[in-house]
Amino acid sequence: MTSLCRAIYFKCRECNGILFNPLLPNPLIWQFTRGYARHIPRKGVSERSKHEKSKKHMKHAKPARMILSKSVIAPSDAQRSRWSHDDFRRQKVVVKQFQERQQATPYLIGPPNAGGFSVLKNIDYEDRLPLNATAARLSSFESLRLLPVVRNALYGRALRHLDEKRPSAIQALAIQKITRLPPPTVRLAQQGLLAKDDETDEEYYERRRHRKNLHKMKVKLKSYLLAAETGSGKTLAYLLPLFSMLKEEELQNAPAVWGIPERPYIRSIILVPTAELVQQVLAQVKDMCHDIKLASAGLSQETTRGVADGIRKKQIDILVTTPVPLLKLIHRTDWNILDDCRKIIVDEADSLMDRSFKNETQEILDTPPRLETLIFCSATIPKTFDRTLDRAYPNMERIVAPHLHQIPRRITFSTVDTSARPFFNDKRKALAETLYNLDRSDSDPEKVKRIVIFVNHRESVGDLVAYLNDLKIYAVGLTRDNSLEERSTMMREFIRPTQLLKDVMNLNPVTGNVKTLRVLVTTDIFSRGIDMQSVRTIILFDVPFSSIDLIHRAGRTGRMGRRGRVILLAAKSEMKPWLRGLATTINKGYALV
């Protein structure tokens, strides 16, 4: 015991010298634990200074940490063999790669600095470079495999307000890869079910018998993951291939591929998480289907039971729905209403595949007996979502945009430290000053300025709206507690194009009048998928919980090539080390992890 105690050392906090007791008998071990030890300074210090510092540093404080001598911590042969194992070597390689990446991109936020904020899957830049070249080569919709009727509806309906009609990176990549599925006539020819010039009567009746049962045959599932930054046109990225495949089946005169025309059917489904997204996606689908001649319908929590039951009696090409109402409709039906469904699209898939909707979504995906095409679409790939897809669909083809997990460079990001003067950690005062400055700015002259403020908890919405209204600032609050009609009315103000001040009643267009602002205070429930065309400014009143929330909140502005700004208000307790460099990280174009 005495020999072991002689080998125990302590490290001094003040001068990095060594504290130890050369003769530490067993009865005096308690003195050692309380810090009674003689100080031995660092090498190179004079004998006089040694004596003086030994008295000076005699204290009863607990030492910083305990260090064992080399004779005690010398590894055994078994430990050495374990350290040379592949797992330890792999760990060293991972640490080295991480250090090199941190040195190459010092502003890249991520582990370990970000802690729980970092929840996204990191995609190496080497994997993004080939996608840039492919997207640059597919620079027009004419170079993509789309039916003329679909392309004409795209130009005349969806993109009629744009001067330059070019596909985004995710649209070009998705249309190119998803439309590679052979058309119905090719699949019939592969199975020998097309008519021949010299076929006999027996061959004719045999072919007709097989074609009659063709819609009951199960084919191999093709699964895809579409991932791109917010505001890049992901809705059209999956709608255009869907329109083209559905219409091609009709034009190729192959009704046996998708079902019997005489009875009700649902050919394809688009799953979204909220009723607002059902309205938004359904409006775009109906607008284009007016020219393409496809039948569509919508189903959400706000849909009455009579309307929902009427869907079972219709022939629907595209059904836009949320998971729970569709499951209720399936359970109320004696027969499988998804018997003819061959294509399912899961929009905002990272939300629908998390703990909130995962069971309902997976039950819907397992219901169609002959599912051919399954498309997951998301603006973020969380680590848990990535693992879920790997387990459930190991052969999935991933179509990832080059700028995934990046906030577009056209969005200016800035952080306001509310602990500094003149706010002194008063976030409301900082918010009021920010709104006054935005009202006096020269951006969007002679137009109504619409601003969205995001908070983390819905209990904060009412108090913040009341505070802004007391300052004579027009503000409304929006949470899940509002009815769908109320939410639609409030959201319409921020979705439609920006109005001129002269066209708005009861507004004084004098510079500095806060009545020229329109402010919406809401939570994360409206941060996904909603296309707010007229919103140029996003204010984050609370620091987002994770990088996923940050990307989706910031994505409500700067959509489809427009410019925008994001302002984050941070209190002293929220100014983490990674948060101080967040604005530089985003403005430099680094991907969040």
Side-chain angles (χ1 to χ4, degrees):
M1 181 65 182
T2 305
S3 61
L4 176 62
C5 292
R6 288 177 180 176
I8 298 180
Y9 294 79
F10 282 95
K11 195 169 185 180
C12 180
R13 294 180 179 176
E14 299 188 12
C15 67
N16 293 328
I18 297 177
L19 293 173
F20 83 110
N21 193 333
L23 298 175
L24 188 63
N26 293 341
L28 297 179
I29 292 180
W30 66 274
Q31 292 182 342
F32 193 99
T33 59
R34 293 186 59 187
Y36 289 97
R38 185 164 57 87
H39 173 75
I40 300 299
R42 292 176 296 178
K43 186 177 180 181
V45 183
S46 64
E47 292 294 327
R48 183 177 179 180
S49 61
K50 286 182 182 179
H51 179 71
E52 292 176 353
K53 289 188 176 181
S54 63
K55 292 183 178 180
K56 181 180 179 180
H57 290 281
M58 289 292 291
K59 56 178 66 177
H60 299 285
K62 188 177 180 179
R65 57 175 177 166
M66 186 174 70
I67 302 176
L68 297 180
S69 67
K70 294 183 180 179
S71 61
V72 177
I73 65 173
S76 62
D77 294 338
Q79 287 176 325
R80 290 184 183 276
S81 62
R82 185 186 176 195
W83 289 350
S84 61
H85 194 266
D86 291 342
D87 293 340
F88 285 85
R89 288 204 302 266
R90 190 180 303 112
Q91 184 179 5
K92 292 179 181 179
V93 172
V94 171
V95 172
K96 183 178 179 182
Q97 291 177 351
F98 174 75
Q99 291 175 349
E100 292 176 351
R101 189 186 68 176
Q102 289 295 93
Q103 293 175 1
T105 57
Y107 297 103
L108 179 65
I109 64 171
N113 295 331
F117 188 82
S118 175
V119 294
L120 293 173
K121 176 180 174 60
N122 186 25
I123 299 177
D124 296 332
Y125 287 96
E126 291 76 9
D127 299 334
R128 303 171 186 257
L129 294 179
L131 301 176
N132 273 320
T134 304
R137 179 171 53 85
L138 303 172
S139 58
S140 66
F141 287 103
E142 283 76 9
S143 61
L144 301 171
R145 185 186 172 192
L146 292 174
L147 291 179
V149 64
V150 176
R151 190 180 296 112
N152 293 337
L154 173 67
Y155 290 156
R157 298 280 182 173
L159 304 181
R160 60 180 178 271
H161 58 282
L162 298 180
D163 297 332
E164 189 176 8
K165 299 176 175 59
R166 297 182 59 184
S168 63
I170 187 61
Q171 292 171 355
L173 295 171
I175 296 172
Q176 182 206 32
K177 295 190 176 184
I178 295 177
T179 54
R180 291 180 304 182
L181 188 67
T185 52
V186 176
R187 282 178 279 171
L188 291 174
Q190 292 173 350
Q191 301 180 31
L193 298 179
L194 288 180
K196 301 178 183 179
D197 296 335
D198 55 346
E199 67 179 350
T200 62
D201 294 342
E202 291 78 7
E203 293 175 342
Y204 171 78
Y205 287 111
E206 183 69 16
R207 180 175 59 82
R208 296 297 299 178
R209 183 176 66 85
H210 283 292
R211 288 217 28 188
K212 185 177 180 180
N213 298 325
L214 181 61
H215 71 284
K216 300 180 181 180
M217 298 174 61
K218 192 170 183 178
V219 298
K220 185 178 180 181
L221 175 65
K222 286 282 190 180
S223 56
Y224 304 90
L225 171 62
L226 306 185
E229 66 276 12
T230 57
S232 58
K234 291 186 297 297
T235 304
L236 284 179
Y238 64 73
L239 281 183
L240 294 177
L242 178 63
F243 289 149
S244 192
M245 288 188 292
L246 293 177
K247 199 62 180 177
E248 196 169 17
E249 291 178 356
E250 293 184 1
L251 297 178
Q252 295 290 344
N253 194 21
V257 175
W258 46 267
I260 302 174
E262 286 77 16
R263 65 178 175 85
Y265 56 77
I266 298 176
R267 295 174 62 189
S268 64
I269 293 175
I270 300 177
L271 287 177
V272 294
T274 62
E276 285 75 19
L277 276 179
V278 170
Q279 292 181 341
Q280 180 175 299
V281 175
L282 183 62
Q284 190 162 11
V285 169
K286 284 185 173 295
D287 189 28
M288 296 188 65
C289 284
H290 182 77
D291 293 344
I292 303 176
K293 307 303 180 186
L294 291 174
S296 59
L299 186 63
S300 66
Q301 294 88 339
E302 306 295 334
T303 305
T304 61
R305 179 163 182 171
V307 175
D309 290 337
I311 293 178
R312 298 183 297 175
K313 306 175 184 178
K314 297 180 180 179
Q315 296 180 347
I316 300 174
D317 297 312
I318 303 174
L319 176 64
V320 185
T321 178
T322 52
V324 175
L326 180 58
L327 277 180
K328 292 181 179 178
L329 187 63
I330 293 174
H331 296 159
R332 290 201 306 265
T333 308
D334 298 333
W335 51 281
N336 189 355
I337 63 174
L338 302 184
D339 191 40
D340 297 309
C341 179
R342 302 267 179 163
K343 300 166 181 62
I344 293 182
I345 298 172
V346 184
D347 198 359
E348 301 295 340
D350 59 333
S351 177
L352 288 177
M353 294 299 287
D354 66 3
R355 292 178 298 176
S356 303
F357 294 100
K358 182 179 179 181
N359 295 334
E360 292 82 358
T361 303
Q362 194 60 51
E363 184 178 353
I364 293 175
L365 299 182
D366 296 337
T367 301
R370 288 167 291 277
L371 187 62
E372 290 183 356
T373 307
L374 175 61
I375 302 175
F376 292 95
C377 184
S378 177
T380 53
I381 305 181
K383 298 173 184 177
T384 55
F385 174 58
D386 181 68
R387 291 192 293 265
T388 300
L389 294 184
D390 282 340
R391 289 193 299 264
Y393 306 98
N395 298 323
M396 172 176 290
E397 184 172 359
R398 297 175 178 248
I399 307 172
V400 180
H403 301 290
L404 180 67
H405 297 165
Q406 296 180 16
I407 295 179
R409 300 289 294 273
R410 58 183 175 270
I411 297 178
T412 304
F413 191 94
S414 58
T415 303
V416 177
D417 186 1
T418 60
S419 62
R421 294 182 180 180
F423 309 124
F424 298 104
N425 228 26
D426 188 348
K427 272 195 174 183
R428 291 188 172 186
K429 186 175 180 180
L431 175 63
E433 183 68 20
T434 302
L435 293 177
Y436 286 137
N437 292 335
L438 291 173
D439 180 64
R440 291 172 171 82
S441 64
D442 296 333
S443 60
D444 293 332
E446 302 297 328
K447 289 184 179 181
V448 178
K449 299 174 182 177
R450 296 183 175 93
I451 300 169
V452 176
I453 302 175
F454 282 105
V455 296
N456 288 342
H457 306 285
R458 62 180 179 178
E459 292 80 7
S460 306
V461 173
D463 296 338
L464 201 56
V465 170
Y467 172 75
L468 295 178
N469 289 334
D470 291 341
L471 298 178
K472 307 303 180 183
I473 298 176
Y474 178 86
V476 293
L478 202 57
T479 63
R480 192 184 292 271
D481 297 334
N482 300 100
S483 64
L484 179 62
E485 184 178 356
E486 293 175 346
R487 297 198 300 260
S488 301
T489 303
M490 295 180 187
M491 291 294 295
R492 193 177 301 115
E493 177 76 20
F494 297 85
I495 292 176
R496 63 187 181 184
T498 305
Q499 293 178 288
L500 297 176
L501 288 176
K502 62 180 181 180
D503 298 332
V504 182
M505 298 295 294
N506 300 326
L507 283 184
N508 185 2
V510 178
T511 302
N513 190 345
V514 292
K515 292 183 179 180
T516 60
L517 298 179
R518 289 289 186 267
V519 179
L520 173 67
V521 184
T522 183
T523 58
D524 272 338
I525 184 177
F526 301 105
S527 65
R528 288 179 173 268
I530 304 298
D531 187 11
M532 300 180 179
Q533 300 179 13
S534 59
V535 175
R536 286 199 58 182
T537 304
I538 299 293
I539 298 179
L540 307 180
F541 188 79
D542 296 325
V543 176
F545 292 120
S546 66
S547 52
I548 299 176
D549 299 330
L550 174 62
I551 288 176
H552 284 286
R553 293 182 187 184
R556 295 315 97 207
T557 185
R559 302 179 66 83
M560 293 303 294
R562 302 182 183 92
R563 300 191 64 84
R565 67 171 70 90
V566 178
I567 302 173
L568 173 63
L569 306 180
K572 183 178 181 179
S573 59
E574 298 171 332
M575 289 299 290
K576 304 293 190 300
W578 58 266
L579 188 59
R580 297 183 182 276
L582 184 60
T584 307
T585 300
I586 293 175
N587 294 329
K588 283 182 175 290
Y590 293 122
L592 301 180
V593 294

